[in-house]
mmCIF file of all heavy atoms in Angstrom:
data_model
loop_
_atom_site.group_PDB
_atom_site.id
_atom_site.type_symbol
_atom_site.label_atom_id
_atom_site.label_comp_id
_atom_site.label_asym_id
_atom_site.label_seq_id
_atom_site.Cartn_x
_atom_site.Cartn_y
_atom_site.Cartn_z
ATOM 1 N N PHE Q 819 1.856 3.870 -6.451
ATOM 2 C CA PHE Q 819 2.584 4.067 -7.706
ATOM 3 C C PHE Q 819 3.669 5.059 -7.352
ATOM 4 O O PHE Q 819 3.239 6.185 -6.875
ATOM 5 C CB PHE Q 819 1.801 4.430 -8.897
ATOM 6 C CG PHE Q 819 2.591 4.607 -10.087
ATOM 7 C CD1 PHE Q 819 2.929 3.691 -10.993
ATOM 8 C CD2 PHE Q 819 2.912 5.985 -10.505
ATOM 9 C CE1 PHE Q 819 3.769 3.893 -12.138
ATOM 10 C CE2 PHE Q 819 3.612 6.230 -11.752
ATOM 11 C CZ PHE Q 819 3.979 5.164 -12.393
ATOM 12 N N ALA Q 829 -12.388 0.542 -14.706
ATOM 13 C CA ALA Q 829 -12.335 1.336 -15.870
ATOM 14 C C ALA Q 829 -10.963 1.843 -16.280
ATOM 15 O O ALA Q 829 -10.608 2.364 -17.413
ATOM 16 C CB ALA Q 829 -13.164 2.712 -15.752
ATOM 17 N N VAL Q 830 -9.888 1.516 -15.302
ATOM 18 C CA VAL Q 830 -8.518 2.051 -15.715
ATOM 19 C C VAL Q 830 -7.497 0.921 -15.455
ATOM 20 O O VAL Q 830 -7.756 -0.119 -14.607
ATOM 21 C CB VAL Q 830 -8.100 3.143 -14.851
ATOM 22 C CG1 VAL Q 830 -8.988 4.526 -15.092
ATOM 23 C CG2 VAL Q 830 -8.153 2.897 -13.303
ATOM 24 N N LEU Q 831 -6.450 0.880 -16.223
ATOM 25 C CA LEU Q 831 -5.328 -0.039 -16.039
ATOM 26 C C LEU Q 831 -4.772 0.155 -14.554
ATOM 27 O O LEU Q 831 -4.738 1.269 -14.019
ATOM 28 C CB LEU Q 831 -4.285 0.251 -16.998
ATOM 29 C CG LEU Q 831 -3.144 -0.675 -17.002
ATOM 30 C CD1 LEU Q 831 -3.322 -1.758 -18.054
ATOM 31 C CD2 LEU Q 831 -1.735 -0.097 -17.235
ATOM 32 N N ILE Q 832 -4.419 -0.930 -13.972
ATOM 33 C CA ILE Q 832 -3.740 -0.833 -12.644
ATOM 34 C C ILE Q 832 -2.308 -0.443 -12.875
ATOM 35 O O ILE Q 832 -1.601 -1.120 -13.639
ATOM 36 C CB ILE Q 832 -3.912 -2.286 -11.811
ATOM 37 C CG1 ILE Q 832 -5.228 -2.713 -11.674
ATOM 38 C CG2 ILE Q 832 -2.997 -2.230 -10.606
ATOM 39 C CD1 ILE Q 832 -5.383 -4.132 -11.368
ATOM 40 N N PRO Q 833 -1.826 0.661 -12.297
ATOM 41 C CA PRO Q 833 -0.567 1.116 -12.640
ATOM 42 C C PRO Q 833 0.491 0.041 -12.214
ATOM 43 O O PRO Q 833 0.367 -0.519 -11.216
ATOM 44 C CB PRO Q 833 -0.393 2.363 -11.704
ATOM 45 C CG PRO Q 833 -1.736 2.765 -11.376
ATOM 46 C CD PRO Q 833 -2.618 1.659 -11.418
ATOM 47 N N ARG Q 834 1.443 -0.059 -13.063
ATOM 48 C CA ARG Q 834 2.521 -1.159 -12.869
ATOM 49 C C ARG Q 834 3.816 -0.593 -12.383
ATOM 50 O O ARG Q 834 4.236 0.495 -12.836
ATOM 51 C CB ARG Q 834 2.890 -1.845 -14.203
ATOM 52 C CG ARG Q 834 1.693 -2.389 -14.966
ATOM 53 C CD ARG Q 834 0.957 -3.522 -14.426
ATOM 54 N NE ARG Q 834 0.318 -4.458 -15.246
ATOM 55 C CZ ARG Q 834 -1.003 -4.268 -15.561
ATOM 56 N NH1 ARG Q 834 -1.679 -3.433 -14.956
ATOM 57 N NH2 ARG Q 834 -1.645 -5.092 -16.448
ATOM 58 N N THR Q 837 6.280 0.905 -14.941
ATOM 59 C CA THR Q 837 6.002 2.230 -15.453
ATOM 60 C C THR Q 837 6.633 3.316 -14.708
ATOM 61 O O THR Q 837 6.843 4.384 -15.164
ATOM 62 C CB THR Q 837 4.436 2.341 -15.516
ATOM 63 O OG1 THR Q 837 3.987 1.282 -16.278
ATOM 64 C CG2 THR Q 837 3.996 3.688 -16.249
ATOM 65 N N LEU Q 840 9.407 4.990 -16.541
ATOM 66 C CA LEU Q 840 9.139 6.076 -17.572
ATOM 67 C C LEU Q 840 9.024 7.349 -16.750
ATOM 68 O O LEU Q 840 9.422 8.426 -17.258
ATOM 69 C CB LEU Q 840 7.769 5.780 -18.238
ATOM 70 C CG LEU Q 840 7.187 6.686 -19.289
ATOM 71 C CD1 LEU Q 840 8.215 6.846 -20.400
ATOM 72 C CD2 LEU Q 840 5.863 6.115 -19.807
ATOM 73 N N ASP Q 858 0.819 13.649 -21.415
ATOM 74 C CA ASP Q 858 0.777 12.277 -21.143
ATOM 75 C C ASP Q 858 -0.434 11.648 -21.927
ATOM 76 O O ASP Q 858 -1.505 12.120 -21.644
ATOM 77 C CB ASP Q 858 0.531 11.987 -19.581
ATOM 78 C CG ASP Q 858 0.333 10.414 -19.292
ATOM 79 O OD1 ASP Q 858 0.813 9.669 -20.006
ATOM 80 O OD2 ASP Q 858 -0.412 10.133 -18.280
ATOM 81 N N LEU Q 859 -0.100 10.813 -22.933
ATOM 82 C CA LEU Q 859 -1.185 10.276 -23.765
ATOM 83 C C LEU Q 859 -1.563 8.898 -23.200
ATOM 84 O O LEU Q 859 -0.742 8.038 -23.012
ATOM 85 C CB LEU Q 859 -0.415 9.988 -25.185
ATOM 86 C CG LEU Q 859 -0.115 11.213 -25.914
ATOM 87 C CD1 LEU Q 859 0.800 10.957 -27.172
ATOM 88 C CD2 LEU Q 859 -1.397 11.970 -26.433
ATOM 89 N N GLY Q 860 -2.918 8.783 -23.017
ATOM 90 C CA GLY Q 860 -3.485 7.511 -22.401
ATOM 91 C C GLY Q 860 -3.220 7.478 -20.968
ATOM 92 O O GLY Q 860 -2.598 6.582 -20.489
ATOM 93 N N THR Q 861 -3.722 8.431 -20.303
ATOM 94 C CA THR Q 861 -3.379 8.623 -18.879
ATOM 95 C C THR Q 861 -3.943 7.585 -17.906
ATOM 96 O O THR Q 861 -3.431 7.358 -16.728
ATOM 97 C CB THR Q 861 -3.719 10.095 -18.520
ATOM 98 O OG1 THR Q 861 -2.800 10.440 -17.293
ATOM 99 C CG2 THR Q 861 -5.197 10.257 -18.005
ATOM 100 N N GLY Q 862 -5.115 6.929 -18.221
ATOM 101 C CA GLY Q 862 -5.589 5.985 -17.320
ATOM 102 C C GLY Q 862 -6.047 6.589 -15.938
ATOM 103 O O GLY Q 862 -6.753 7.665 -15.923
ATOM 104 N N SER Q 863 -5.417 6.090 -14.896
ATOM 105 C CA SER Q 863 -5.654 6.558 -13.517
ATOM 106 C C SER Q 863 -4.996 7.850 -13.369
ATOM 107 O O SER Q 863 -5.141 8.547 -12.175
ATOM 108 C CB SER Q 863 -5.285 5.496 -12.509
ATOM 109 O OG SER Q 863 -3.706 5.442 -12.697
ATOM 110 N N GLY Q 864 -4.211 8.313 -14.278
ATOM 111 C CA GLY Q 864 -3.389 9.549 -14.237
ATOM 112 C C GLY Q 864 -2.050 9.353 -13.425
ATOM 113 O O GLY Q 864 -1.331 10.231 -13.133
ATOM 114 N N ALA Q 865 -1.637 8.049 -13.362
ATOM 115 C CA ALA Q 865 -0.423 7.741 -12.562
ATOM 116 C C ALA Q 865 0.761 8.464 -12.968
ATOM 117 O O ALA Q 865 1.475 9.119 -12.137
ATOM 118 C CB ALA Q 865 -0.285 6.236 -12.494
ATOM 119 N N ILE Q 866 1.051 8.386 -14.257
ATOM 120 C CA ILE Q 866 2.274 9.007 -14.747
ATOM 121 C C ILE Q 866 2.192 10.521 -14.666
ATOM 122 O O ILE Q 866 3.017 11.190 -14.183
ATOM 123 C CB ILE Q 866 2.429 8.593 -16.266
ATOM 124 C CG1 ILE Q 866 2.655 7.189 -16.406
ATOM 125 C CG2 ILE Q 866 3.574 9.376 -16.917
ATOM 126 C CD1 ILE Q 866 2.676 6.577 -17.822
ATOM 127 N N ALA Q 867 1.037 11.043 -15.221
ATOM 128 C CA ALA Q 867 0.842 12.532 -15.290
ATOM 129 C C ALA Q 867 0.902 13.122 -13.978
ATOM 130 O O ALA Q 867 1.510 14.126 -13.667
ATOM 131 C CB ALA Q 867 -0.390 12.869 -16.099
ATOM 132 N N VAL Q 882 -4.330 13.073 -21.459
ATOM 133 C CA VAL Q 882 -5.463 12.753 -22.273
ATOM 134 C C VAL Q 882 -5.721 11.299 -22.169
ATOM 135 O O VAL Q 882 -4.856 10.424 -21.977
ATOM 136 C CB VAL Q 882 -5.343 13.208 -23.776
ATOM 137 C CG1 VAL Q 882 -5.069 14.656 -23.816
ATOM 138 C CG2 VAL Q 882 -4.402 12.358 -24.425
ATOM 139 N N ASP Q 883 -7.145 10.875 -22.373
ATOM 140 C CA ASP Q 883 -7.416 9.524 -22.630
ATOM 141 C C ASP Q 883 -8.749 9.496 -23.393
ATOM 142 O O ASP Q 883 -9.598 10.441 -23.222
ATOM 143 C CB ASP Q 883 -7.703 8.808 -21.188
ATOM 144 C CG ASP Q 883 -7.517 7.321 -21.279
ATOM 145 O OD1 ASP Q 883 -8.368 6.615 -21.853
ATOM 146 O OD2 ASP Q 883 -6.523 6.969 -20.759
ATOM 147 N N LEU Q 884 -8.944 8.480 -24.183
ATOM 148 C CA LEU Q 884 -10.045 8.349 -25.032
ATOM 149 C C LEU Q 884 -11.295 7.809 -24.094
ATOM 150 O O LEU Q 884 -12.409 8.152 -24.349
ATOM 151 C CB LEU Q 884 -9.929 7.361 -26.034
ATOM 152 C CG LEU Q 884 -11.133 7.030 -27.056
ATOM 153 C CD1 LEU Q 884 -11.407 8.353 -27.727
ATOM 154 C CD2 LEU Q 884 -10.618 5.993 -28.022
ATOM 155 N N SER Q 885 -11.029 7.242 -22.921
ATOM 156 C CA SER Q 885 -12.125 6.744 -22.120
ATOM 157 C C SER Q 885 -12.547 7.968 -21.183
ATOM 158 O O SER Q 885 -11.765 8.420 -20.246
ATOM 159 C CB SER Q 885 -11.521 5.594 -21.253
ATOM 160 O OG SER Q 885 -12.293 5.483 -20.063
ATOM 161 N N ALA Q 888 -12.010 6.864 -17.556
ATOM 162 C CA ALA Q 888 -10.586 7.024 -17.118
ATOM 163 C C ALA Q 888 -10.428 8.571 -16.701
ATOM 164 O O ALA Q 888 -9.737 8.802 -15.797
ATOM 165 C CB ALA Q 888 -9.704 6.502 -18.169
ATOM 166 N N SER Q 909 -9.836 12.809 -25.133
ATOM 167 C CA SER Q 909 -9.221 13.049 -26.439
ATOM 168 C C SER Q 909 -8.728 11.696 -27.024
ATOM 169 O O SER Q 909 -8.175 10.897 -26.334
ATOM 170 C CB SER Q 909 -8.096 13.965 -26.346
ATOM 171 O OG SER Q 909 -7.489 14.192 -27.679
ATOM 172 N N ASP Q 910 -9.002 11.608 -28.364
ATOM 173 C CA ASP Q 910 -8.447 10.435 -29.073
ATOM 174 C C ASP Q 910 -6.940 10.830 -29.453
ATOM 175 O O ASP Q 910 -6.857 11.664 -30.390
ATOM 176 C CB ASP Q 910 -9.251 10.208 -30.299
ATOM 177 C CG ASP Q 910 -8.812 8.996 -31.171
ATOM 178 O OD1 ASP Q 910 -7.735 8.429 -30.820
ATOM 179 O OD2 ASP Q 910 -9.492 8.685 -32.161
ATOM 180 N N TRP Q 911 -6.086 10.447 -28.724
ATOM 181 C CA TRP Q 911 -4.600 10.786 -28.698
ATOM 182 C C TRP Q 911 -4.581 12.413 -28.833
ATOM 183 O O TRP Q 911 -5.066 13.048 -27.979
ATOM 184 C CB TRP Q 911 -3.905 10.162 -29.846
ATOM 185 C CG TRP Q 911 -3.889 8.711 -29.784
ATOM 186 C CD1 TRP Q 911 -4.146 7.745 -30.681
ATOM 187 C CD2 TRP Q 911 -3.543 7.816 -28.601
ATOM 188 N NE1 TRP Q 911 -4.000 6.316 -30.262
ATOM 189 C CE2 TRP Q 911 -3.675 6.469 -28.947
ATOM 190 C CE3 TRP Q 911 -3.157 8.087 -27.202
ATOM 191 C CZ2 TRP Q 911 -3.447 5.442 -28.080
ATOM 192 C CZ3 TRP Q 911 -2.920 7.093 -26.392
ATOM 193 C CH2 TRP Q 911 -3.073 5.673 -26.775
ATOM 194 N N PHE Q 912 -4.091 12.924 -30.045
ATOM 195 C CA PHE Q 912 -3.873 14.241 -30.106
ATOM 196 C C PHE Q 912 -5.143 15.093 -30.594
ATOM 197 O O PHE Q 912 -5.129 16.272 -30.818
ATOM 198 C CB PHE Q 912 -2.824 14.574 -31.155
ATOM 199 C CG PHE Q 912 -1.357 14.015 -30.744
ATOM 200 C CD1 PHE Q 912 -0.983 12.857 -31.073
ATOM 201 C CD2 PHE Q 912 -0.565 14.879 -29.872
ATOM 202 C CE1 PHE Q 912 0.230 12.345 -30.667
ATOM 203 C CE2 PHE Q 912 0.667 14.351 -29.397
ATOM 204 C CZ PHE Q 912 1.044 13.118 -29.890
ATOM 205 N N SER Q 925 4.165 8.369 -22.959
ATOM 206 C CA SER Q 925 2.985 7.578 -23.003
ATOM 207 C C SER Q 925 3.335 6.120 -22.696
ATOM 208 O O SER Q 925 4.435 5.609 -22.978
ATOM 209 C CB SER Q 925 2.494 7.504 -24.463
ATOM 210 O OG SER Q 925 1.252 6.874 -24.533
ATOM 211 N N ASN Q 926 2.366 5.514 -21.988
ATOM 212 C CA ASN Q 926 2.392 4.070 -21.869
ATOM 213 C C ASN Q 926 1.078 3.534 -22.470
ATOM 214 O O ASN Q 926 0.115 3.361 -21.973
ATOM 215 C CB ASN Q 926 2.262 3.702 -20.367
ATOM 216 C CG ASN Q 926 2.124 2.225 -20.206
ATOM 217 O OD1 ASN Q 926 2.376 1.362 -20.965
ATOM 218 N ND2 ASN Q 926 1.629 1.842 -18.933
ATOM 219 N N PRO Q 927 1.200 3.422 -23.836
ATOM 220 C CA PRO Q 927 0.022 3.138 -24.576
ATOM 221 C C PRO Q 927 -0.259 1.624 -24.650
ATOM 222 O O PRO Q 927 0.509 0.814 -24.133
ATOM 223 C CB PRO Q 927 0.437 3.584 -26.104
ATOM 224 C CG PRO Q 927 1.848 3.213 -26.069
ATOM 225 C CD PRO Q 927 2.436 3.520 -24.751
ATOM 226 N N PRO Q 928 -1.516 1.234 -25.084
ATOM 227 C CA PRO Q 928 -1.726 -0.153 -25.207
ATOM 228 C C PRO Q 928 -0.738 -0.861 -26.271
ATOM 229 O O PRO Q 928 -0.509 -0.242 -27.272
ATOM 230 C CB PRO Q 928 -3.208 -0.212 -25.862
ATOM 231 C CG PRO Q 928 -3.777 1.139 -25.715
ATOM 232 C CD PRO Q 928 -2.620 2.099 -25.720
ATOM 233 N N TYR Q 929 -0.049 -1.918 -25.839
ATOM 234 C CA TYR Q 929 0.886 -2.566 -26.719
ATOM 235 C C TYR Q 929 0.898 -4.024 -26.735
ATOM 236 O O TYR Q 929 1.873 -4.617 -27.288
ATOM 237 C CB TYR Q 929 2.298 -2.020 -26.406
ATOM 238 C CG TYR Q 929 2.776 -2.163 -25.012
ATOM 239 C CD1 TYR Q 929 3.119 -3.438 -24.428
ATOM 240 C CD2 TYR Q 929 2.941 -1.025 -24.154
ATOM 241 C CE1 TYR Q 929 3.546 -3.480 -23.172
ATOM 242 C CE2 TYR Q 929 3.450 -1.086 -22.817
ATOM 243 C CZ TYR Q 929 3.723 -2.341 -22.407
ATOM 244 O OH TYR Q 929 4.175 -2.556 -21.022
ATOM 245 N N PRO Q 946 -9.512 -3.061 -18.664
ATOM 246 C CA PRO Q 946 -10.092 -2.666 -19.968
ATOM 247 C C PRO Q 946 -9.310 -3.046 -21.096
ATOM 248 O O PRO Q 946 -7.959 -2.808 -21.174
ATOM 249 C CB PRO Q 946 -10.127 -1.106 -19.793
ATOM 250 C CG PRO Q 946 -9.719 -0.710 -18.385
ATOM 251 C CD PRO Q 946 -9.081 -1.847 -17.857
ATOM 252 N N MET Q 948 -9.287 -1.771 -24.124
ATOM 253 C CA MET Q 948 -8.768 -0.684 -24.735
ATOM 254 C C MET Q 948 -7.540 -0.154 -24.092
ATOM 255 O O MET Q 948 -6.701 0.713 -24.641
ATOM 256 C CB MET Q 948 -9.717 0.343 -24.964
ATOM 257 C CG MET Q 948 -10.173 1.192 -23.655
ATOM 258 S SD MET Q 948 -11.239 2.568 -24.020
ATOM 259 C CE MET Q 948 -10.271 3.695 -24.725
ATOM 260 N N ALA Q 949 -7.259 -0.514 -22.831
ATOM 261 C CA ALA Q 949 -5.964 -0.076 -22.196
ATOM 262 C C ALA Q 949 -4.805 -1.057 -22.502
ATOM 263 O O ALA Q 949 -3.703 -0.607 -22.299
ATOM 264 C CB ALA Q 949 -6.224 0.091 -20.610
ATOM 265 N N LEU Q 950 -5.080 -2.170 -23.059
ATOM 266 C CA LEU Q 950 -4.080 -3.198 -23.158
ATOM 267 C C LEU Q 950 -3.704 -3.469 -24.605
ATOM 268 O O LEU Q 950 -2.543 -3.503 -24.926
ATOM 269 C CB LEU Q 950 -4.517 -4.541 -22.442
ATOM 270 C CG LEU Q 950 -4.786 -4.408 -21.015
ATOM 271 C CD1 LEU Q 950 -5.602 -5.737 -20.593
ATOM 272 C CD2 LEU Q 950 -3.461 -4.430 -20.353
ATOM 273 N N ALA Q 951 -4.671 -3.736 -25.357
ATOM 274 C CA ALA Q 951 -4.544 -4.359 -26.718
ATOM 275 C C ALA Q 951 -4.431 -3.485 -27.853
ATOM 276 O O ALA Q 951 -5.107 -2.391 -27.885
ATOM 277 C CB ALA Q 951 -5.559 -5.376 -26.986
ATOM 278 N N CYS Q 959 -0.740 1.577 -31.830
ATOM 279 C CA CYS Q 959 -0.784 2.809 -31.102
ATOM 280 C C CYS Q 959 0.571 3.560 -31.027
ATOM 281 O O CYS Q 959 0.722 4.830 -31.231
ATOM 282 C CB CYS Q 959 -1.313 2.766 -29.710
ATOM 283 S SG CYS Q 959 -3.059 2.114 -29.536
ATOM 284 N N LYS Q 962 1.279 5.216 -34.326
ATOM 285 C CA LYS Q 962 0.441 6.512 -34.470
ATOM 286 C C LYS Q 962 1.031 7.611 -33.658
ATOM 287 O O LYS Q 962 1.343 8.685 -34.173
ATOM 288 C CB LYS Q 962 -0.978 6.096 -33.992
ATOM 289 C CG LYS Q 962 -1.997 7.112 -34.616
ATOM 290 C CD LYS Q 962 -3.417 6.574 -34.118
ATOM 291 C CE LYS Q 962 -4.085 5.959 -35.214
ATOM 292 N NZ LYS Q 962 -5.480 5.494 -34.893
ATOM 293 N N GLU Q 980 6.679 3.776 -23.182
ATOM 294 C CA GLU Q 980 6.799 2.379 -22.652
ATOM 295 C C GLU Q 980 6.307 1.422 -23.675
ATOM 296 O O GLU Q 980 5.422 1.806 -24.528
ATOM 297 C CB GLU Q 980 5.924 2.194 -21.335
ATOM 298 C CG GLU Q 980 6.007 0.858 -20.797
ATOM 299 C CD GLU Q 980 5.368 0.598 -19.459
ATOM 300 O OE1 GLU Q 980 5.336 1.616 -18.629
ATOM 301 O OE2 GLU Q 980 4.884 -0.524 -19.352
HETATM 302 C C1 SAM U 1936 -1.645 0.880 -20.896
HETATM 303 S S1 SAM U 1936 -2.880 2.010 -20.424
HETATM 304 C C2 SAM U 1936 -1.874 3.229 -19.521
HETATM 305 C C3 SAM U 1936 -2.598 3.874 -18.298
HETATM 306 C C4 SAM U 1936 -1.732 4.790 -17.507
HETATM 307 N N1 SAM U 1936 -1.018 5.711 -18.260
HETATM 308 C C5 SAM U 1936 -0.690 3.857 -16.700
HETATM 309 O O1 SAM U 1936 0.390 3.812 -17.174
HETATM 310 O O2 SAM U 1936 -1.107 3.164 -15.810
HETATM 311 C C6 SAM U 1936 -3.265 2.836 -21.989
HETATM 312 C C7 SAM U 1936 -4.288 3.899 -21.867
HETATM 313 O O3 SAM U 1936 -4.529 4.415 -23.072
HETATM 314 C C8 SAM U 1936 -5.953 4.728 -23.327
HETATM 315 N N2 SAM U 1936 -6.277 4.809 -24.751
HETATM 316 C C9 SAM U 1936 -6.424 3.741 -25.663
HETATM 317 N N3 SAM U 1936 -6.726 4.278 -26.893
HETATM 318 C C10 SAM U 1936 -6.468 5.645 -26.775
HETATM 319 C C11 SAM U 1936 -6.760 6.604 -27.752
HETATM 320 N N4 SAM U 1936 -7.028 6.353 -29.008
HETATM 321 N N5 SAM U 1936 -6.650 7.892 -27.338
HETATM 322 C C12 SAM U 1936 -6.386 8.216 -26.048
HETATM 323 N N6 SAM U 1936 -6.152 7.236 -25.092
HETATM 324 C C13 SAM U 1936 -6.311 5.998 -25.396
HETATM 325 C C14 SAM U 1936 -6.611 3.698 -22.524
HETATM 326 O O4 SAM U 1936 -7.971 4.059 -22.283
HETATM 327 C C15 SAM U 1936 -5.670 3.507 -21.304
HETATM 328 O O5 SAM U 1936 -6.155 4.342 -20.282
#
Side-chain angles (χ1 to χ4, degrees):
F819 178 82
V830 296
L831 186 96
I832 300 165
R834 309 286 203 268
T837 303
L840 184 58
D858 174 29
L859 293 165
T861 201
S863 62
I866 298 171
V882 305
D883 205 290
L884 183 58
S885 157
S909 175
D910 183 357
W911 301 132
F912 296 94
S925 184
N926 172 21
Y929 54 70
M948 72 178 283
L950 295 167
C959 298
K962 203 176 253 185
E980 180 174 324

